[in-house]
Amino acid sequence: MAANQDNTRPQNTRSIMVFLQAHAPFSSMDDDHLAHFAEHSTLRFYADGDVVLSPDDGIVRRFYVVKQGRIRGERLNQKADKTETTFEISLGECFPLAAIVGERSTRTLHRAAGDTFCLSIEQDAFVTLFAESESFRDFCMRGVSSLLDQVNQRIQSGAMASMGSSTSLSTPLERYALRNPIVCSPDLPVRKAVARMHQNSVGSIVITDDSRHPTGIFTLRDLRTMIAEDTCTLDAPVRQIMTKDPCCLPAQADAFEAAMLMAEHHFAHLCVVDDEKRLIGMVSERDLFSLQRVDLVHLARTISTATHLRTLVSLRADVSRLVDAMLAHGADSGQVVKIITTLNDVTVRRVLELNIKKNNPGVPFTWLTFGSEGRQEQTLLTDQDNGILFKTPEGMTEDQVRERLLPFAKTVNDELAECGFTLCKGNIMASNPKLCLSDREWDDWFIRFIDASTPQNLVYSSIFLDMRSVFGPTDSLHELFEKVLTRIRKNELFQKMLAGNAFQRKPPLTMFRNFRYVSDGKKNSLDLKRQGLAPFVESVRVFALANGIERANTLERMDELVQKGIFDDKDANAWKDAYSLIQAIRMRSHQEMLNNGEELTNYINPDDLNPLDRRILRESFRQAQRLQQKLEITYQL
Amino acid sequence: MLEQLRQWIKRRRSGLVSNMPPENLPNPKSPGDQLLSDCRLIVLDLETTGLHPNKDEVIAVGAVAITGGVIDLSDQFDLVLRRPELDITETVLIHGIGTEALTHGHETEDALLFLLEWMNGDPVLAYHSAFDQKFLEKTLKAQLGYTRSHTWMDVADLLPALIPDASTGGKGLDHWADFYGLEVSARHHAASDALATAELTLIALNKARKNGLKTLRELNDKLRYHRRLKNIHRM
């Protein structure tokens, strides 16, 4: 009817639509849906400090968009008996998401920060939009999950399963269609056991005792080895040839744990047991990954049996493809970094094994990794940070041991470099005589490190205090680390200096909640590692070391800090999510750089992100600020 | 609003409200004990061909309603009475309704009757309301012979009365809009100015609530007191 579609709507409706269009998710919504929003909205004013939405209001019945001004979320910190700002919502942003989707009251007090106007729609208009606009629905669901709502994460993983594209790795094993295991007693002759496997067309049989506890497993692969190597006859009882004490997981464990265990030990099968350790099913690698084509176990096995360095080098491309596939299938960043670390560990071990075969130094040693590898937080962009710990054998001096180990370590460092682990510019490598030490020398080294808190030592703290063994005996490292932890716990000055150092790394937000860009000339870029992740890693390290936590992984450290009552679990969840989200954005950008054949860096331009990711990033940085505030209060910085 | 207007025109055409005598229109309400927290206020702005009520004409009427202290965007009025000098026939363009939908020759009358019905006798607020009041009263009288007087309140007085310490640098709508950083989508478009005025009214009502003003009468008294003070200063 009207020549100009626009003229059919009143001026004020049109102007609200124009306003909405400048912001996510409205920018990707149809005009009709925007008009529905505009025509059903009310415009409300809140003076500075007015309460907009409170936990006492009961179930949330309206949905708001900030038209002008700002809203801040407040939560009472019972310990400090004061309120803390938990988030800020600025122009064009929506709230509340989790509460209105979950049909519950808000958990956070929403207060106007400065004079503020909000557009608001009632629940029924919200429901209409939610039902009719796909982009609006996606936004609400994603927004909720990124704002840490557990319930919604379930919905998401459920949605993924129903799409049939993949199975989420956080699904508990009991949800998998567990195969009914084929079992036999330990005394059954091998011949009969194989016949039973054949009848049921399965590749493995579990040997159980009278109360159904699994005591061993026998697979077709074992049969092949047995016949080829003639180790046993077909009439011998199966217990002679079975693999004893098969790997078991409780039914509540998730698919990710199963996959990790399989990748580490190169099993293709795992027993699933109930609380009393009785066998209830089997889960195979194929069950976990049949739909995903993410062949983690196979890849780990290929790496660990590679006979030449060049095979290892070529397998690195597969690692990258695997990461790609996992990110595409929605694995979370915590899982992906752990998988990368596991595959890296397997590679390091294999390089060490191949070199021992070729040229055995003849002294037992423990291969240590530091820094991000120590924390199990490696991405595709990774440096070597390693060292050697040895026990001096009788009749040898430490220098004599070093004479043997150092050339060996040099070859290993060079070969790892060929595999894509960049040589460490700071020479933090096992081939450095200062880092190839006996247990006694390491202990002295740490005493000096902790007592003489020089600035250089503080820089090193991010490397050497995140330590783990990858190869060789672990008990000497455990002993060493216990001593180190005790010393740190007793040395409050050192803790305070660590805290002060961690406090230096400010998240990249300006006072006005914009991004603060790196100052070294790169325009509009953020360093996700140094500016984004480091504030979390460093602050959490201080708390972990001060409280005797031996783990190096940042997420696991936070879990233990919650268990010890140092962190509030809501706070810790927010921090873990924020940390993981920054990591996820970093890894996605690595994959993109890799696909474009660019050199990997940790820089991103936030303008290249979609508005939602930008908001997530900003919110995550704010969480880092909160964590630093805790550090500030605890150590009175 | 469009749907309401369509319905109304349909009813009027089918004779249900035909030739509605002015006395059947809603009665103008006076400022009494209506609570500010739930009463309805009309915020209105007119666009005219000039500044002189005697010779200039109304081009457009834009209005929004504030109910219970919030602007309800489903309750608004946006009407253009387009009267180009060279065009002899008076034509009305209402958004969403072509001129053919209106009874030929009665467009302006129909639209003004609908405005009165929509206003429902509720108090009318405008920025420098004396101007809008004169134009609207003149137009209503000329077109409909309607002469009842409505309650008018001037937002230009309301703001300084309640927010005396604001250093706006001037008394105009633009000064206040700038002071509060309001974005006016299309300045001098009647509907858009009405919305900006309504937004300022929300700010004033928020302040009124904090000053303990509860009813329309209390608000009106405050306004009169402010005007008296202003006149004393002038003398």
Side-chain angles (χ1 to χ4, degrees), chain A residues 73-272:
Chain A
E74 273 179 10
R75 216 165 67 199
L76 184 72
N77 181 337
Q78 252 129 17
K79 273 182 217 148
D81 195 29
K82 61 169 197 176
T83 52
E84 289 176 338
T85 299
T86 54
F87 55 74
E88 275 174 342
I89 302 165
S90 50
L91 187 73
E93 295 177 345
C94 315
F95 68 97
L97 279 171
I100 194 163
V101 171
E103 294 187 86
R104 56 166 173 79
S105 53
T106 174
R107 296 191 178 127
T108 319
L109 185 80
H110 290 64
R111 197 187 283 284
D115 289 343
T116 299
F117 282 93
C118 294
L119 283 165
S120 166
I121 54 171
E122 300 273 350
Q123 196 182 27
D124 45 349
F126 176 83
V127 169
T128 306
L129 285 176
F130 191 85
E132 286 180 5
S133 166
E134 201 183 327
S135 20
F136 187 68
R137 184 167 55 244
D138 280 359
F139 173 84
C140 293
M141 297 319 261
R142 258 188 88 189
V144 171
S145 86
S146 65
L147 298 172
L148 337 170
D149 201 281
Q150 292 295 320
V151 179
N152 193 53
Q153 279 179 353
R154 296 261 162 71
I155 298 170
Q156 259 190 339
S157 59
M160 274 176 63
S162 68
M163 272 154 46
S165 63
S166 74
T167 313
S168 163
L169 283 174
S170 42
T171 311
L173 289 178
E174 58 195 346
R175 291 257 306 272
Y176 281 83
L178 294 178
R179 290 158 202 250
N180 198 14
I182 304 307
V183 297
C184 67
S185 70
D187 296 325
L188 195 75
V190 174
R191 189 189 302 281
K192 287 199 172 164
V194 174
R196 198 172 288 179
M197 288 158 71
H198 179 67
Q199 277 160 19
N200 292 285
S201 43
V202 292
S204 65
I205 191 163
V206 183
I207 294 90
T208 56
D209 64 13
D210 296 342
S211 42
R212 232 180 134 79
H213 295 140
T215 58
I217 190 166
F218 181 73
T219 66
L220 288 180
R221 218 148 45 106
D222 296 334
L223 179 70
R224 195 176 64 198
T225 320
M226 182 189 111
I227 290 170
E229 296 180 4
D230 203 14
T231 48
C232 189
T233 69
L234 285 171
D235 295 310
V238 70
R239 72 179 127 80
Q240 283 187 13
I241 193 75
M242 72 184 186
T243 308
K244 290 196 180 65
D245 302 322
C247 250
C248 294
L249 273 178
Q252 301 82 9
D254 60 27
F256 178 70
E257 269 178 78
M260 292 301 287
L261 206 59
M262 287 181 188
E264 216 175 307
H265 300 286
H266 323 306
F267 300 137
H269 297 86
L270 282 176
C271 299
V272 181

Side-chain angles (χ1 to χ4, degrees), chain A residues 1 6-16 38-48 50 67-68 91 115 117 119, chain B residues 2 64 70-74 76 78 95-98 100 180-183 185-186 189 191-192 195 199 202-203 206 209-210:
Chain A
M1 178 197 73
D6 241 355
N7 258 335
T8 63
R9 298 195 170 104
Q11 163 69 20
N12 287 327
T13 305
R14 273 182 283 150
S15 74
I16 288 170
E39 283 161 7
H40 288 81
S41 61
T42 51
L43 184 60
R44 290 151 188 268
F45 171 74
Y46 304 93
D48 183 28
D50 281 1
K67 181 160 181 283
Q68 189 187 325
L91 187 73
D115 289 343
F117 282 93
L119 283 165
Chain B
L2 292 177
V64 296
V70 309
I71 301 169
D72 185 350
L73 289 154
S74 62
Q76 51 170 312
D78 186 355
H95 294 297
I97 297 173
E100 74 276 12
Y180 281 105
L182 303 184
E183 278 198 29
S185 66
H189 184 295
S192 158
L195 185 61
E199 287 177 8
L202 289 193
I203 297 175
N206 182 291
R209 184 165 50 86
K210 285 177 185 155

Side-chain angles (χ1 to χ4, degrees), chain A residues 292-355:
Chain A
Q292 296 206 62
R293 273 187 279 146
V294 172
D295 206 350
L296 173 63
V297 182
H298 177 74
L299 184 54
R301 190 182 294 143
T302 315
I303 293 175
S304 66
T305 53
T307 48
H308 287 94
L309 178 67
R310 64 168 185 280
T311 322
L312 286 174
V313 173
S314 68
L315 284 169
R316 298 302 295 175
D318 292 349
V319 174
S320 160
R321 250 191 302 118
L322 177 72
V323 171
D324 222 2
M326 296 206 64
L327 287 174
H329 282 94
D332 79 42
S333 62
Q335 293 175 343
V336 178
V337 289
K338 268 201 154 175
I339 284 172
I340 295 177
T341 308
T342 302
L343 293 173
N344 285 351
D345 283 359
V346 175
T347 308
V348 172
R349 271 185 217 128
R350 192 58 190 163
V351 170
L352 284 163
E353 283 162 2
L354 288 176
N355 274 291

